[in-house]
Amino acid sequence: MRIFKIVFWILWRIWFYILMGLPIIIMLPFLLISISKEKWYPYFFVMARIWAKIILFGMGFHYKVEREQELEEGKSYMLVANHTSMTDIMLMLALVRNPFVFVGKKELVKIPLFGFFYKRTCILVDRSSSKSRMEVFNRAQKRLAQGLSICIFPEGGVPDDESVLLDEFKDGAFRLALEHQIPIVPMTFADNKKRFSYTFLSGSPGLMRAKIHRFVETKGHNADKKEIKQIKELVREIIYKQLLKFSNKKSA
């Protein structure tokens, strides 16, 4: 029985990367045009959402989302969520219609085809470099000034310890939100790790539950260390409590 599971996981993982690449090849001319000018990014974003949904449904994932508040069209937000899987990227794109830019780790640039567009449309960060972190902040400010939203997974990566439900949050997302006085949108992803973790021989098709929480307003707050810490801890508590609630419910 174990050998059949291993064969399934290997073929399933290969299929995932085929699904990542095939829509990019099909849409390649339009994707290249859409990234040729920054002002055309919203067109790229529409295609990115199509790409994400093809991958999710092609892998046998279906998602169910509870929304406590709706995002307004044409408004900028800071999107934050817990991070356990590469499919967090696809689920975020599937759930949010407002054009946003990811802040993500530079290692994903190495993935063929995907990495080419990832490098040119996302804000890349080298966590080991303080200079890189400052450049990220400057680029994010520029994107917000263009009316886009920003998505950051504030744990700064996937927790190394498998027993950690939610790692500590970094300051960056909350500092940006406070400086630009934009709402923070906490989001909780319940099943992505179970469905498609970074462990190769694991995962299965099925339900991905998500919750978009009521927004945390930043207007009237200062971007000093005390305010950043308070807002950061508030958002982390919202996501952490929801993860505990999800863990007490069965997923399909």
Side-chain angles (χ1 to χ4, degrees):
M1 186 65 180
R2 175 70 178 173
I3 188 67
F4 290 112
K5 282 188 175 181
I6 291 173
V7 170
F8 166 77
W9 280 324
I10 291 172
L11 294 176
W12 196 53
R13 293 272 169 166
I14 292 171
W15 176 237
F16 175 77
Y17 288 104
I18 291 172
L19 282 174
M20 282 185 72
L22 195 57
I24 294 175
I25 293 171
I26 293 170
M27 296 187 290
L28 189 59
F30 305 102
L31 289 168
L32 290 172
I33 292 169
S34 68
I35 66 170
S36 62
K37 292 184 179 181
E38 281 193 351
K39 66 179 181 180
W40 291 345
Y41 179 81
Y43 300 109
F44 172 86
F45 182 79
V46 170
M47 288 182 279
R49 295 192 73 225
I50 295 169
W51 168 83
K53 290 182 179 182
I54 288 171
I55 294 171
L56 292 176
F57 292 122
M59 292 295 289
F61 302 135
H62 57 283
Y63 52 86
K64 180 181 179 182
V65 58
E66 178 186 348
R67 301 175 188 267
E68 289 188 341
Q69 194 170 346
E70 295 284 347
L71 280 72
E72 295 179 25
E73 187 177 348
K75 190 171 180 179
S76 294
Y77 297 90
M78 177 60 67
L79 311 170
V80 298
N82 57 305
H83 192 27
T84 57
S85 168
M86 191 182 294
T87 58
D88 296 339
I89 295 172
M90 294 80 183
L91 188 57
M92 183 69 74
L93 284 166
L95 296 180
V96 180
R97 295 186 182 90
N98 291 42
F100 66 84
V101 177
F102 280 108
V103 173
K105 57 185 180 181
K106 68 173 187 176
E107 289 82 357
L108 295 181
V109 170
K110 298 174 184 177
I111 300 175
L113 277 179
F114 169 82
F116 175 85
F117 290 98
Y118 178 79
K119 182 178 181 180
R120 287 157 178 81
T121 57
C122 299
I123 301 171
L124 308 186
V125 59
D126 179 356
R127 294 189 219 104
S128 63
S129 168
S130 58
K131 181 181 178 182
S132 173
R133 291 195 297 270
M134 183 53 66
E135 288 174 354
V136 165
F137 198 79
N138 292 335
R139 288 191 64 193
Q141 286 184 315
K142 181 181 178 182
R143 287 305 213 173
L144 286 169
Q146 293 169 345
L148 299 173
S149 294
I150 299 291
C151 175
I152 297 178
F153 297 107
E155 291 167 278
V158 176
D160 295 327
D161 188 345
E162 289 288 319
S163 65
V164 175
L165 185 63
L166 185 67
D167 213 339
E168 294 301 318
F169 283 1
K170 311 295 184 187
D171 289 348
F174 309 98
R175 180 184 163 195
L176 271 168
L178 285 164
E179 288 202 351
H180 288 267
Q181 298 284 280
I182 58 173
I184 298 168
V185 183
M187 303 172 69
T188 306
F189 297 160
D191 307 299
N192 294 13
K193 184 176 183 179
K194 177 182 178 182
R195 294 290 165 237
F196 200 84
S197 76
Y198 282 94
T199 302
F200 190 79
L201 297 179
S202 66
S204 65
L207 177 65
M208 287 177 162
R209 295 168 295 167
K211 183 167 182 175
I212 299 177
H213 301 274
R214 189 162 296 281
F215 309 157
V216 175
E217 291 295 338
T218 58
K219 287 184 178 179
H221 293 273
N222 299 316
D224 57 32
K225 288 184 179 180
K226 182 180 178 181
E227 293 273 24
I228 291 170
K229 183 180 179 182
Q230 287 178 345
I231 295 290
K232 178 178 69 174
E233 290 178 352
L234 171 62
V235 172
R236 186 181 182 278
E237 187 70 10
I238 290 169
I239 295 174
Y240 182 73
K241 284 182 176 178
Q242 186 60 45
L243 284 171
L244 291 176
K245 289 179 182 178
F246 275 136
S247 66
N248 292 326
K249 299 176 184 177
K250 288 184 178 180
S251 61

